[in-house]
């Protein structure tokens, strides 16, 4: 594949704060490049407003009332990227074979623009050729009717609306499977599993107003300035009240150090910055369990726990306390990479707070012990009664803009989470009860050939998932690949042995006209608030269909008619789909259409936030971790822990450019960041090209070559590379134990000189 860089690499540390003039300049660079600056400017003012559209970037909460400009640098990039005036037309495909396009970088593929026509892969010419929607649906339906339903996967990336997601899971279940993996399986599934077991709900309990009352924030493994920049406003206001923020992160991420509010003229003019972290602990990758155990040990041994809360609301405290007391500081310091005094200071600060929130991201979830990480975080909160009161609780920062909502309306491979009885009663079919395939299992099925057909509702599965080489080989052996997408990506370029269909859809920012008129859709943010979203921009092409229309088109061509499931009526008026959602999930969505009129959206509720614990014991559960190393592998000579991270210039596999501004990495993504002492010990020099080799115990050859070594402030033994470039290094078996999230934040690798 083509290398991922543009001009000459530059590794000059960035002096500025997060936000500030740097973010203004970055926008000024990116918006004109998409050749639609006027439209983009107009649309940005509608972003995250009640009558506007919900940003297509991250899932962070949208305040009410909104700021005059309720968007951030990266949300603006996502908007510009979607409403670009660039187009990938049939002419484009006439000019390029798939073999040629596979040499393009991720950046160049998507930069080519929006897909305009439904396309079918033609093997004779190795090109995509145009087809009509009727041809596409008929062909896909004919194929799908021929399989054992267990052989088909229905993947969803986390962007599709609640309405689309509901239709998609219904189609899969009526077809006969729950093979409904979604991007959440690579992301916060450790949260969904861990929080559910610990406190009885699969989502965080905190909301935006908790930032107004909290008096301490613990922050683990989340890169706020890049991945949820709007949260910087909340962190800034918390700091204005002098509330401590304790950060655990192997990297010194600029947004966690200091911020200048680009929407505040005085701050901008005077260059005033807000310091974010009051204590910054550069924990080793995979070392958080040890750090949290250290804090717990200190709290317990200094009698700084909330005994009344523990007695009334929790289970298994004594066993946990015994474990914490028995754990030695030697082990804690070794496994965390932190000094005892630093951990004690953090514990003491935490103990001084009446209410504390714990914010976290992929740095906790994407580990072999990712579920333990989440549960240990809950332990820490439970010790001081920090769940179910204002200003307190877990705050997992979700990724895709509707990834949490998809799960809420039934996109899940797990029967116990699906409304099986309600579906049966309402639509008169027998929903499958066999557990479906999650992402890791779906990859396994593609690789071993048991999966024959793969339908993707968005996303870039081949590039986002681990074990790239085997996955691509397996993908080429599929009998059917159906890709519903807005832009071209690598998953579209590996044709199935049978048929491959590329189906272009409307984006959320575009006007969606159906029989009943212009439609709105809905999404759920990270704090469980449901928002309406109305697109108003002209569609990228007259040939696009909406996602609900595409799902319904496939369903009608595949399933026997069912009068209880009027696909066409539902597509004509999404309010009818919302009525279905309300009927099937009344506890969250009663009076759905009516409540959407509430400005700022509505909260779907959360039992744990009211201290109702929906667990087998009826209490919040302490857990006793069996090890304090979250990586799932032992240290060995020459073995490093590779953390794969996002740059400031990408949205997952969508690469907007080559500037990771805050980290001072510019012009290339082909890098490996290393501790200076590790470089010296290996004789690797700044800028030298090296190869990373996977060091999993299965002895399989996994390599990424041509990475430039860059000296960087990372803990010894840890190295950093970009996702998705480093995904070929991740073994499929290297995933979180209970949640199956690929363990992308500690991948065992060796450094081989010579690139
Ligand atoms: N602009 C933009 N926004 C996005 C995305 C995007 O790609 N671009 N992606 C969206 C999606 S789907 C998601 S899931 C989120 C992802 O947002 P994040 O959760 O921030 O994910 P990453 O960028 O992978 O960064 C993880 C952070 O964890 C740290 N880290 C790594 N290993 C460890 C560890 O062992 N312990 C600790 N304490 N920290 C560790 C890294 O240094 C990094 O700061 O963002 C969403 N928002
Ligand atoms: N090594 C490593 N791997 C990781 C991660 C990591 O941190 N490290 N992070 C993981 C995480 S958290 C996630 S969420 C996954 C992400 O995995 P995915 O969700 O599968 O990937 P994306 O890159 O978000 O998908 C981008 C594509 O979505 C399509 N798209 C964009 N908008 C729309 C739309 O409105 N509708 C439709 N139908 N299609 C659209 C476009 O064609 C675009 O090319 O990757 C995971 N993989
Ligand atoms: Mo994600």
């Amino acid at each position: 594949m083509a290398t991922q860089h543009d001009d000459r690499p530059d590794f000059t540390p960035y002096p500025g704060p997060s936000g500030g003039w740097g973010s203004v300049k970055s926008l000024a660079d990116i918006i004109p490049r998409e050749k639609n600056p006027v439209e983009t400017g107009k649309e940005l003012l509608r972003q995250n407003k009640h009558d506007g559209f919900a940003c297509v970037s991250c899932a962070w909460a949208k305040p009410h009332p909104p700021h005059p400009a309720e968007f951030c640098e990266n949300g603006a990039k996502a908007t510009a990227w979607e409403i670009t005036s660039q187009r990938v037309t049939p002419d484009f495909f006439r000019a390029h074979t798939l073999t040629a396009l596979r040499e393009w970088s991720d950046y160049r593929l998507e930069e080519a623009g929006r897909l305009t026509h439904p396309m079918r892969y033609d093997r004779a010419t190795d090109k995509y050729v145009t087809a009509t929607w009727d041809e596409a649906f008929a062909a896909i339906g004919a194929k799908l009717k021929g399989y054992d339903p267990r052989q088909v996967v229905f993947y969803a990336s986390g962007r599709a609306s609640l309405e689309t997601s509901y239709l998609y899971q219904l189609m899969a279940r009526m077809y006969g499977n729950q093979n409904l993996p979604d991007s959440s399986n690579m992301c916060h599934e450790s949260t969904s599993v861990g929080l559910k077991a610990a406190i009885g709900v699969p989502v965080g309990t905190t909301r935006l107003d908790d930032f107004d009352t909290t008096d301490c924030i613990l922050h683990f493994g989340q890169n706020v300035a890049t991945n949820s920049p709007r949260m910087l406003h909340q962190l800034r206001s918390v700091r204005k009240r002098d509330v401590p923020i304790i950060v655990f992160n192997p990297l010194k991420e600029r947004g966690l150090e200091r911020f200048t509010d680009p929407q505040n003229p005085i701050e901008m003019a005077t260059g005033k910055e807000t310091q974010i972290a009051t204590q910054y602990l550069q924990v080793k990758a995979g070392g958080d369990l040890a750090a949290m155990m250290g804090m717990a040990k200190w709290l317990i041994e200094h009698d700084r726990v909330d005994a009344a809360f523990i007695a009334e609301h929790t289970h298994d405290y004594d066993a946990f306390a015994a474990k914490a007391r028995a754990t030695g500081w030697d082990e804690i310091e070794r496994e965390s990479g932190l000094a005892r005094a630093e951990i004690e200071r953090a514990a003491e600060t935490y103990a001084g707070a009446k209410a504390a929130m714990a914010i976290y991201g992929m740095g906790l979830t994407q580990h072999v012990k990712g579920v333990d990480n989440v549960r240990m975080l809950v332990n820490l909160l439970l010790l001081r009664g920090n769940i179910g009161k204002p200003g307190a609780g877990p705050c997992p920062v979700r990724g895709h803009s509707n990834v949490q909502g998809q799960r809420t309306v039934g996109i899940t491979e797990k029967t116990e989470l699906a409304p099986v009885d309600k579906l049966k009663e309402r639509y008169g079919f027998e929903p499958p009860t066999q557990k479906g395939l999650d992402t890791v299992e779906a990859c396994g099925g593609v690789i071993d050939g048991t999966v024959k057909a793969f339908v993707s509702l968005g996303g870039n599965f081949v590039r986002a998932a681990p074990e790239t080489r085997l996955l691509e080989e397996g993908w080429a052996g599929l009998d059917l690949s159906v890709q519903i997408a807005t832009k071209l990506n690598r998953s579209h370029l590996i044709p199935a042995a049978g048929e491959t269909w590329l189906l272009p859809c409307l984006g959320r920012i575009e006007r969606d006209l159906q029989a009943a008129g212009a439609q709105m859709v809905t999404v759920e943010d990270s704090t469980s608030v449901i928002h309406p979203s109305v697109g108003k921009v002209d569609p990228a092409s007259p040939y696009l269909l909406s996602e609900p229309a595409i799902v319904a088109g496939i369903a009608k061509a595949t399933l026997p008619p069912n009068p209880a499931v009027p696909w066409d009526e539902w597509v004509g008026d999404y309010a009818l789909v919302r009525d279905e959602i309300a009927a099937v999930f009344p506890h969250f969505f009663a009076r759905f259409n009516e409540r959407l009129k509430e400005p700022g959206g509505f909260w779907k509720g959360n039992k744990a936030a009211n201290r109702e614990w929906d667990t087998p014991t009826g209490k919040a559960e302490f857990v006793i971790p069996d090890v304090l190393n979250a990586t799932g592998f032992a240290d060995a000579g020459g073995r490093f822990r590779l953390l794969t991270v996002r740059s400031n210039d990408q949205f997952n596999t969508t690469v907007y450019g080559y500037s990771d501004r805050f980290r001072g990495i510019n012009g290339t993504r082909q890098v490996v960041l290393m501790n200076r002492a590790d470089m010296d010990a290996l004789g690797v020099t700044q800028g030298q090209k090296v190869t990373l080799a996977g060091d999993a115990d299965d002895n399989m050859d996994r390599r990424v070559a041509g990475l430039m070594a860059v000296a960087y402030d990372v803990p010894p033994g840890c190295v950093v590379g970009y996702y998705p470039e480093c995904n070929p290094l991740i073994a499929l078996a290297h995933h979180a134990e209970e949640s199956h999230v690929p363990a992308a934040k500690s991948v065992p690798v060796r450094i081989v000189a010579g690139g």
Side-chain angles (χ1 to χ4, degrees):
M1 191 185 324
T3 49
Q4 316 279 336
H5 61 80
D6 58 356
D7 43 23
R8 283 168 60 83
D10 175 63
F11 309 122
T12 314
Y14 182 68
S18 57
W21 289 108
S23 76
V24 175
K25 179 173 178 307
S26 166
L27 275 182
D29 287 346
I30 211 131
I31 291 176
R33 208 166 62 199
E34 295 308 316
K35 303 193 174 58
N36 205 354
V38 175
E39 196 76 44
T40 303
K42 268 189 348 214
E43 283 309 302
L44 288 176
L45 293 174
R46 298 197 331 108
Q47 193 151 322
N48 297 327
K49 301 285 176 59
H50 190 65
D51 60 346
F53 65 92
C55 180
V56 295
S57 192
C58 81
W60 183 239
K62 296 137 186 80
H64 182 74
H67 299 102
E70 190 55 48
F71 62 88
C72 66
E73 169 189 344
N74 283 343
K77 281 186 206 165
T79 299
W81 200 251
E82 180 163 311
I83 62 176
T84 175
S85 61
Q86 315 271 77
R87 297 288 179 268
V88 169
T89 61
D91 277 345
F92 173 95
F93 287 114
R94 271 191 282 278
H96 304 287
T97 61
L98 265 55
T99 305
L101 289 170
R102 280 195 295 273
E103 297 303 315
W104 288 29
S105 65
D106 297 316
Y107 168 76
R108 198 171 159 210
L109 287 173
E110 287 211 29
E111 171 69 6
R114 289 285 301 278
L115 298 164
T116 59
H117 288 65
M119 311 293 290
R120 168 180 68 79
Y121 176 65
D122 175 54
R123 189 161 295 279
T125 55
D126 186 32
K127 288 176 178 174
Y128 273 115
V129 296
T130 46
T132 65
W133 283 103
D134 286 345
E135 284 164 358
F137 293 143
I140 294 165
K143 277 277 187 196
L144 287 176
K145 281 184 199 165
Y147 306 114
D148 171 342
R150 285 171 298 187
Q151 299 173 318
V152 180
V153 168
F154 296 98
Y155 172 67
S157 170
R159 203 175 278 201
S161 63
L162 292 170
E163 292 79 357
T164 306
S165 303
Y166 181 79
L167 297 183
Y168 197 59
Q169 63 83 34
L170 181 61
M171 169 175 76
R173 293 201 162 88
M174 291 179 73
Y175 177 66
N177 77 33
Q178 311 189 83
N179 293 341
L180 287 161
D182 76 347
S183 61
S184 170
N185 286 132
M186 300 185 244
C187 184
H188 266 294
E189 193 65 16
S190 302
T191 293
S192 306
V193 172
L195 291 185
K196 180 89 185 80
I199 59 172
V201 294
V203 298
T205 62
T206 46
R207 300 177 63 188
L208 271 183
D209 49 13
D210 288 310
F211 285 89
D212 301 334
T213 46
T214 190
D215 46 21
C216 178
I217 289 182
L218 305 177
H219 192 287
F220 290 85
Q222 202 268 336
N223 187 10
V224 60
T226 289
N227 296 326
S228 54
R230 288 180 298 107
M231 190 201 279
L232 283 167
H233 295 287
Q234 282 87 41
L235 295 182
R236 173 175 167 276
S237 69
V238 160
R239 288 292 302 127
K240 295 280 176 219
R241 294 193 291 111
D242 222 13
V243 167
I245 299 181
I246 306 170
V247 171
F248 295 82
N249 198 310
L251 300 186
K252 280 270 182 76
E253 305 284 26
R254 183 56 43 88
L256 294 166
E257 296 182 302
R258 48 203 167 91
F259 173 55
T260 293
D261 182 356
Q263 301 188 6
N264 182 318
I266 296 175
E267 281 195 6
M268 290 296 276
T270 58
K272 195 168 174 304
E273 301 175 354
T274 303
Q275 179 205 6
I276 301 292
T278 49
Q279 190 185 359
Y280 208 117
L281 297 114
Q282 278 183 279
V283 64
K284 280 204 285 204
D288 304 88
L289 276 175
M292 291 189 271
M293 184 59 104
M295 288 177 70
K297 180 180 175 68
W298 188 92
L299 293 169
I300 291 164
E301 291 182 352
H302 289 76
D303 205 11
R304 300 292 294 273
V305 301
D306 182 341
F309 175 87
I310 291 171
E312 186 182 346
H313 289 290
T314 72
H315 174 243
D316 240 3
Y317 170 71
D318 291 341
F320 176 69
K323 174 77 180 181
R325 288 179 196 278
T327 305
W329 280 106
D330 286 356
E331 186 187 359
I332 292 169
E333 289 192 314
R334 188 180 65 244
E335 296 297 353
S336 65
L338 301 171
R340 173 176 176 173
E342 291 179 276
I343 298 175
E344 291 188 332
R345 192 182 134 209
E348 196 167 354
T349 307
Y350 175 55
K354 287 202 272 309
M357 294 170 70
I359 299 173
Y360 69 95
M362 298 299 100
L364 289 192
T365 62
Q366 292 178 334
H367 282 290
V368 169
K369 298 286 177 184
V371 174
D372 285 32
N373 270 339
V374 171
R375 296 209 52 185
M376 192 66 173
L377 187 85
V378 173
N379 284 349
L380 212 47
L381 292 171
L382 293 178
L383 283 176
R384 294 198 38 84
N386 273 320
I387 301 187
K389 67 181 181 192
C395 178
V397 187
R398 300 273 170 170
H400 270 297
S401 50
N402 194 35
V403 65
Q404 186 168 313
Q406 293 192 336
R407 284 290 198 228
T408 305
V409 297
I411 300 239
T412 170
E413 69 285 356
K414 294 171 186 152
T415 310
E416 64 276 18
L417 301 182
V420 183
D421 297 339
K422 281 267 171 45
L423 295 178
K424 179 176 174 174
E425 177 192 315
R426 197 163 176 85
Y427 306 118
F429 73 102
E430 202 57 58
T433 50
Q434 184 185 358
K435 188 195 156 289
L437 303 177
D438 59 31
T439 288
V440 161
E441 292 158 350
C443 289
V446 172
I447 291 170
D448 71 20
T450 51
V451 166
K452 302 281 183 223
F454 203 106
V455 182
S456 286
L457 179 60
N460 186 1
F461 190 82
V462 167
R463 199 80 174 113
E467 202 77 275
T468 313
R469 190 173 59 81
L470 293 184
L471 186 60
E472 291 196 352
E473 282 171 23
W475 201 265
L478 288 172
D479 189 55
L480 174 68
S481 165
V482 179
Q483 302 290 323
I484 304 166
T486 51
K487 287 209 172 178
L488 194 59
N489 66 46
R490 190 162 174 88
S491 300
H492 311 151
L493 300 179
I494 303 168
E499 288 180 25
T500 303
W501 290 91
L502 182 52
L503 307 180
C505 64
L506 290 175
R508 196 188 293 152
I509 308 173
E510 288 164 327
R511 189 182 332 105
D512 184 353
L513 265 187
Q514 301 295 346
Q519 300 297 309
M520 66 149 101
V521 295
T522 51
V523 296
E524 175 179 338
D525 72 25
S526 253
T527 59
S528 305
V529 175
I530 315 287
H531 300 267
S533 176
V534 184
K536 292 206 173 143
V537 172
D538 288 343
S541 139
Y543 301 99
L544 304 184
L545 290 186
S546 74
E547 289 181 322
I550 296 174
V551 172
I554 296 175
K556 281 198 303 173
T558 308
L559 306 172
N562 176 338
V565 184
W567 295 104
D568 287 334
E569 280 176 41
W570 289 349
V571 172
D573 184 358
Y574 301 168
L576 300 177
V577 182
R578 289 189 285 277
D579 287 340
E580 297 298 310
I581 295 174
V584 171
F585 304 94
H587 45 298
F588 293 139
F589 292 102
R591 300 180 11 261
F592 192 178
N593 280 304
E594 213 179 306
R595 282 156 84 202
L596 279 180
K597 293 178 192 136
E598 292 169 24
F602 67 89
W603 188 51
K604 76 172 200 216
N606 184 308
K607 284 187 184 170
N610 298 326
R611 296 192 169 172
E612 282 171 52
W613 316 106
D614 198 0
T615 61
T617 60
K619 305 263 186 186
E621 297 282 346
F622 276 96
V623 79
I624 298 124
D626 50 1
V627 293
L628 294 186
N629 169 356
T631 66
F633 53 86
D635 290 329
R639 176 180 272 186
F640 286 83
R641 300 176 180 190
L642 167 71
L643 304 62
T644 60
V645 297
R646 293 158 168 78
S647 88
N648 189 53
D649 221 1
Q650 73 182 85
F651 189 91
N652 297 340
T653 69
T654 295
V655 175
Y656 301 126
Y658 295 89
S659 166
D660 197 3
R661 185 169 87 249
F662 303 131
R663 298 197 185 110
I665 310 289
N666 291 295
T668 182
R669 297 174 53 86
Q670 303 280 122
V671 291
V672 54
L673 313 184
M674 297 181 67
N675 180 288
R676 171 68 74 183
D678 287 335
M679 286 173 75
D680 291 347
L682 289 172
V684 171
T685 53
Q686 175 81 355
Q688 182 183 332
K689 293 254 175 83
V690 298
T691 295
L692 288 187
D695 199 23
D697 290 332
D698 61 7
N699 288 324
M700 211 158 56
D701 192 33
R702 298 184 183 86
R703 274 164 198 271
V704 173
L707 301 175
M708 232 182 262
V710 180
Y712 206 79
D713 183 8
V714 289
C718 298
V719 296
V720 181
Y722 287 120
Y723 144 61
E725 286 78 0
C726 288
N727 285 39
L729 296 165
I730 309 176
L732 186 58
H734 187 60
H735 55 67
E737 281 167 353
E738 293 139 279
S739 64
H740 287 194
V741 172
K745 293 295 182 270
S746 276
V747 183
V749 294
R750 278 175 297 112
I751 292 155
V752 186

